[in-house]
Amino acid sequence: AQSVTQLDSQVPVFEEAPVELRCNYSSSVSVYLFWYVQYPNQGLQLLLKYLSGSTLVKGINGFEAEFNKSQTSFHLRKPSVHISDTAEYFCAAPPEAGSYQLTFGKGTKLSVIP
Amino acid sequence: EADIYQTPRYLVIGTGKKITLECSQTMGHDKMYWYQQDPGMELHLIHYSYGVNSTEKGDLSSESTVSRIRTEHFPLTLESARPSHTSQYLCASRQGNTEAFFGQGTRLTVV
C-alpha cells in the first residue's frame, strides 16, 4: 500500500518569503495526489489536486505543486506567503491503485512570521 | 463551496453517555468517510461507506459504529463515551476518484 510522507513537521517562514512544503509518495503506479489546508478548529479544504495531465498544478490562494514521477514527489510551493497562510497542510493519495480511500501525510505546520 | 455539514461543532459530555455525531452532504456523493484527528496530529480513517447499506471499518480501531441508510446521511455513534474518545471527528465525502470534501468537524470532549 502506498504511503505519503511529509518530510517537515514544522516550517517557519517570514512573511513575503517563498515556501516549499515537501511530500513524497511511495508508489510509482498511477496516482491521484492532493494537498489540503486546515485552519485551527476547521475541517480540511482542498488546495489543489493532480489527477492527470500537466505536472504543474495551480491551486487556490496562490499555491502550486509539481508532480514528479521519477522522484515520486508532489511538493507544494508559494512564491510569497502571507500571515493568513499560517495553517496545517496535508498531502494525500490513495493507498493503492483502485482504492477509494485517501491516505494522509502527518501534516506540515506552516508558521508565517511577520 | 462544499455542502457537507457536521453537527454539533463542539460537544462536552460525561463518561458513559451515548452520543451520535451527525454528518450530511447534499452533493449526492456515494462515498463517505469518518476520520479521527487529535489536535495538531494526522488523520486516521475509522469508518467508510461506498454506498447505502455499505459500511466498513478503517485503519484505526474505534469503538464507534456508523450507519448508511440514506445516501446523504452518515452518522457516527458512541454507545458509551469515555475520556479516551476525546478528539476531533471529521466527516468527508467524495465521488469516484475526485477530491474529498470535508465538514467543519466535531470536537468531542468526554469528561
Side-chain angles (χ1 to χ4, degrees):
Chain A
Q2 174 164 263
S3 68
V4 176
T5 303
Q6 291 184 241
L7 299 166
D8 306 296
S9 59
Q10 296 186 62
V11 174
V13 63
F14 286 103
E15 192 174 16
E16 298 184 6
V19 69
E20 178 181 82
L21 305 183
R22 297 180 294 169
C23 173
N24 285 88
Y25 61 94
S26 63
S27 173
S28 61
V29 300
S30 297
V31 294
Y32 304 105
L33 295 162
F34 306 89
W35 273 101
Y36 285 86
V37 60
Q38 185 180 34
Y39 300 103
N41 296 317
Q42 298 290 320
L44 275 69
Q45 179 183 5
L46 182 73
L47 274 177
L48 47 80
K49 61 186 177 184
Y50 173 78
L51 302 181
S52 65
S54 173
T55 57
L56 183 62
V57 180
K58 293 190 181 299
I60 64 171
N61 301 341
F63 284 94
E64 63 181 32
E66 186 162 14
F67 171 63
N68 188 319
K69 189 173 182 178
S70 62
Q71 297 185 10
T72 61
S73 68
F74 190 55
H75 300 334
L76 181 70
R77 301 185 183 101
K78 186 169 183 178
S80 175
V81 296
H82 301 134
I83 295 290
S84 59
D85 293 323
T86 294
E88 191 88 22
Y89 292 79
F90 292 92
C91 184
E96 55 195 3
S99 173
Y100 290 117
Q101 295 179 29
L102 280 178
T103 295
F104 286 83
K106 293 188 175 183
T108 298
K109 170 67 175 174
L110 174 63
S111 298
V112 181
I113 305 163
Chain B
E1 188 75 21
D3 296 315
I4 179 164
Y5 308 99
Q6 290 186 243
T7 57
R9 287 292 315 279
Y10 302 93
L11 179 62
V12 180
I13 201 162
T15 298
K17 299 292 187 182
K18 178 179 178 179
I19 58 171
T20 296
L21 308 184
E22 302 288 348
C23 176
S24 294
Q25 50 97 4
T26 58
M27 297 171 283
H29 289 170
D30 55 352
K31 300 170 186 61
M32 296 190 74
Y33 309 82
W34 276 104
Y35 291 88
Q36 185 174 342
Q37 182 189 32
D38 291 327
M41 303 295 286
E42 62 198 289
L43 282 75
H44 294 284
L45 180 67
I46 52 175
H47 297 284
Y48 61 97
S49 167
Y50 290 165
V52 171
N53 295 324
S54 160
T55 61
E56 300 287 345
K57 288 187 178 293
D59 302 324
L60 182 67
S61 175
S62 173
E63 295 167 344
S64 58
T65 59
V66 292
S67 63
R68 189 90 182 275
I69 299 173
R70 303 196 314 268
T71 297
E72 62 271 22
H73 195 212
F74 192 42
L76 181 146
T77 298
L78 276 167
E79 291 292 332
S80 179
R82 294 209 300 267
S84 60
H85 296 138
T86 294
S87 189
Q88 174 159 254
Y89 294 84
L90 295 168
C91 180
S93 71
R94 73 193 293 219
Q95 187 71 26
N97 284 320
T98 59
E99 66 268 30
F101 292 89
F102 281 81
Q104 296 278 61
T106 293
R107 185 168 294 282
L108 173 66
T109 302
V110 184
V111 297

